Amino acid sequence: MIVALIDSGFGLLPTAAWLRRMRPDLDLMLSMDPECAPWGPKPADWVADHVVSIARRAVDRGADVVVLPCNTASVTALEHVRADLGDDVPVVGTVPAIKPAAAVCKSVAIWATAATTSSRYQADLIERFGNGSEVVGVACHGLADAIDRGDREGADRAIADAVARTPGDVEGIVLGCTHYPLVADSIVARFPEGVRLFDSAEAVARQTLRRLADLDAAEPGTREFDDRSGASGRVEVYLSGRRGALPPGAEAFAAGRELLAATTAT
């Protein structure tokens, strides 16, 4: 069974690592796009067409499920990918964890890229799921870029800047960019004890497994859903359409090290 994860950079690592922990028998196809990253500043039509083409190639290579662990791809291309691939291939998107955060916190800060922070999309999510909480957006300038470089020092500087612009009485931080969970340890260390972090990587991984179970129920016995006697699944990496390896910067993060070890082992 093959799950394809698509992101311009390292934003796919947290969800891929969760899938690896939950179902080590699954084959993972990690499709990154360093030649065209980042996608956020690109025109929406370009992003939609580009992500659709990457998803189509992943299915042609054997992917059974496609996951977009990327806010830009999910907002811009999710419905286009679903329409292109049809009902036989489940496509799982990503939504920032505003709803669970606002359900338990009176004050919430959404950390995201500058483009997402100023977007109509995030404003709509706050309106729909804010639950009466005080919700503010905090643009984390340069954080995703530093993460994609594997630059922990640069990430720490971007985190310090974002902390300085976050209300002091905040109870919850929503990590509104899929890159940010990779430095969750550095973020939580900057806040007082009791401030909670929320991200969507585990939820997206669990939704992916539910969609796999749905496929098995619809087509019993036609796909490899068994645990292959405890064998580990393969982890393949594609960089802008070509077979490759995880960039060395992935080693700066725990999830990256897990997946690097898996690609070495397979």
Side-chain angles (χ1 to χ4, degrees):
M1 195 64 192
I2 301 175
V3 176
L5 298 98
I6 299 171
D7 188 280
S8 63
F10 283 167
L12 54 69
L13 295 180
T15 300
W18 274 111
L19 284 170
R20 185 76 179 171
R21 295 171 204 139
M22 295 173 179
R23 284 286 302 272
D25 60 296
L26 292 177
D27 295 329
L28 302 181
M29 183 187 298
L30 311 183
S31 293
M32 301 168 60
D33 190 26
E35 291 181 4
C36 298
W39 290 341
K42 302 285 196 303
D45 289 346
W46 183 94
V47 174
D49 290 345
H50 194 61
V51 175
V52 165
S53 68
I54 296 171
R56 193 180 299 152
R57 285 199 300 270
V59 173
D60 288 345
R61 293 181 180 121
D64 298 284
V65 176
V66 171
V67 183
L68 304 181
C70 168
N71 289 310
T72 296
S74 295
V75 172
T76 308
L78 179 60
E79 296 308 318
H80 297 275
V81 174
R82 285 175 172 163
D84 185 80
L85 298 183
D87 295 336
D88 291 339
V89 181
V91 182
V92 180
T94 298
V95 176
I98 298 171
K99 185 176 181 179
V104 296
C105 299
K106 295 179 181 178
S107 57
V108 176
I110 305 172
W111 281 26
T113 64
T116 298
T117 300
S118 62
S119 69
R120 181 70 251 173
Y121 166 71
Q122 180 164 299
D124 288 343
L125 288 177
I126 294 171
E127 185 175 344
R128 290 171 59 195
F129 301 124
N131 194 39
S133 298
E134 184 69 29
V135 182
V136 299
V138 176
C140 300
H141 303 291
L143 181 53
D145 292 340
I147 290 170
D148 270 337
R149 296 192 302 269
D151 178 5
R152 291 300 300 243
E153 291 185 2
D156 285 344
R157 289 192 295 271
I159 289 168
D161 176 69
V163 169
R165 291 179 290 105
T166 298
D169 61 349
V170 73
E171 296 181 3
I173 306 292
V174 174
L175 303 182
C177 171
T178 56
H179 286 61
Y180 298 173
L182 293 170
V183 290
D185 54 343
S186 297
I187 295 172
V188 75
R190 296 271 185 169
F191 286 97
E193 185 176 353
V195 174
R196 301 175 61 178
L197 263 57
F198 298 83
D199 75 82
S200 55
E202 181 180 0
V204 172
R206 292 191 183 280
Q207 175 65 6
T208 301
L209 297 184
R210 285 191 287 268
R211 298 308 304 273
L212 292 178
D214 291 343
L215 279 181
D216 193 28
E219 303 177 51
T222 63
R223 301 171 188 259
E224 290 186 48
F225 281 87
D226 62 285
D227 66 2
R228 295 189 294 192
S229 301
S232 292
R234 296 179 298 275
V235 179
E236 298 180 343
V237 178
Y238 290 88
L239 303 174
S240 298
R242 294 179 294 276
R243 185 69 186 272
L246 280 176
E251 195 168 1
F253 313 106
R257 292 191 292 273
E258 289 181 47
L259 293 162
L260 280 166
T263 57
T264 301
T266 58

